[in-house]
Every structure is written in C-alpha cells, then in structure tokens.
C-alpha cells in the first residue's frame, strides 16, 4: 500500500468513526422524530458512501457502478426515513 493510499484509508476510517459517534450521540440525546432520524440516516449514508469508495475500491470503477450502488444506498436510507415519518403524519 502506498503512502497516499494508506493516508486516504486512515482519513476514511477516522471519518467513519466520527460519523458513528455522531449517530450514537444523536440516538442517546433523544433526538427523536424526523430530525433525529435524518441525522442518523445522513451519517449512515456518508459512512456507506465512504465504505463503497475507499474500502470496496469503487473510486476507479466505471461511473455506472458508482451511481447504481450510491443510488441504492440513498434509496434504502430514504425508505427508512419515510417509514419513520409515516406514523408522524397520521394526525
């Protein structure tokens, strides 16, 4: 592994840890509802994107693969957020 690749992997790992801590803080602080779900899911999408790009080495694959997998990630997170919003919309 070159120094640049090692530095990029270390930076991605640090960001993944920070996003995990952010999600944990939001969950334990009682940030419920759509805002709390949005924070946690946004951090999850960011973590998933970094995992796809750096650890699964999708940074240098054809754009179709990156778009497909990133879209799947956003679709799953959006579906979870909508599922959290449905009970709140029944007034």
């Amino acid at each position: 592994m070159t120094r640049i690749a090692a530095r990029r992997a270390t930076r991605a790992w640090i960001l993944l840890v920070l996003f995990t801590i952010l999600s944990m803080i939001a969950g334990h602080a009682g940030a419920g509802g759509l805002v709390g779900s949005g924070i946690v899911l946004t951090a999850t999408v960011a973590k998933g994107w970094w995992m796809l790009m750096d650890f699964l080495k999708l940074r240098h694959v054809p754009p179709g693969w990156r778009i497909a997998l990133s879209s799947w990630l956003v679709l799953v997170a959006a579906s979870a957020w909508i599922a959290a919003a449905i009970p709140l919309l029944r007034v």
Side-chain angles (χ1 to χ4, degrees):
M1 181 181 280
T2 65
R3 282 186 91 138
I4 294 172
R7 201 173 297 149
R8 179 178 283 157
T10 302
R11 191 177 331 128
W13 180 81
I14 290 169
L15 287 171
L16 290 171
V17 170
L18 289 175
F19 280 127
T20 300
I21 292 169
L22 174 70
S23 298
M24 290 173 59
I25 289 171
H28 288 296
L34 294 179
V35 174
S37 298
I39 291 170
V40 171
L41 289 170
T42 301
T44 303
V45 168
K47 286 170 52 176
W49 187 80
W50 265 298
M51 292 295 291
L52 289 172
M53 295 303 127
D54 289 335
F55 294 104
L56 294 178
K57 307 283 189 210
L58 293 182
R59 214 173 270 286
H60 304 291
V61 299
W65 282 106
R66 286 193 307 264
I67 291 169
L69 291 171
S70 297
S71 299
W72 175 80
L73 187 65
V74 170
L75 179 67
V76 169
S79 299
W81 191 73
I82 291 169
I86 288 174
L88 298 176
L89 295 176
R90 294 183 188 165
V91 179

